[in-house]
Amino acid sequence: VEASPVAETLKALAATQSSTAGHIRVINQIAEEITEADVPHGSVDVLISEPLGNCLLNERMIESYLYCRDRFLCEGGLMIPH
């Protein structure tokens, strides 16, 4: 989940990796606006966040990261960083 235009770059990079074809999905949206149709509850194996400096706290990213954990992450799923 990436709300900025960087999502298009991430999609392009993911598409170049044959070993991950079909396994990585980049969604260009705000996490809290993703519907059950977009990502079913508990269907994500890995959540990755990029906490740069204190942005995780200052930009309220921690709330979005935890929201994604609670809504999307499957049982036994991995959070990076955890």
Side-chain angles (χ1 to χ4, degrees), residues 2-32:
E2 175 57 54
S4 78
V6 170
E8 293 307 314
T9 302
L10 294 172
K11 286 179 187 179
L13 287 171
T16 66
Q17 304 301 311
S18 61
S19 63
T20 60
H23 297 284
I24 295 176
R25 182 171 172 210
V26 179
I27 299 173
N28 189 199
Q29 226 173 316
I30 295 170
E32 291 79 5

Side-chain angles (χ1 to χ4, degrees), residues 5-78:
V6 170
E8 293 307 314
T9 302
L10 294 172
K11 286 179 187 179
L13 287 171
T16 66
Q17 304 301 311
S18 61
S19 63
T20 60
H23 297 284
I24 295 176
R25 182 171 172 210
V26 179
I27 299 173
N28 189 199
Q29 226 173 316
I30 295 170
E32 291 79 5
E33 294 178 359
I34 295 173
T35 67
E36 182 77 13
D38 294 324
V39 180
H41 184 82
S43 65
V44 173
D45 297 316
V46 180
L47 285 176
I48 302 172
S49 182
E50 52 146 349
L52 302 172
N54 59 1
C55 291
L56 194 61
L57 298 174
N58 285 347
E59 294 181 6
R60 302 187 61 88
M61 287 175 57
I62 190 75
E63 287 91 346
S64 289
Y65 193 45
L66 296 177
Y67 173 84
C68 288
R69 176 200 64 190
D70 296 343
R71 174 127 185 270
F72 307 127
L73 197 61
C74 69
E75 185 72 31
L78 180 64

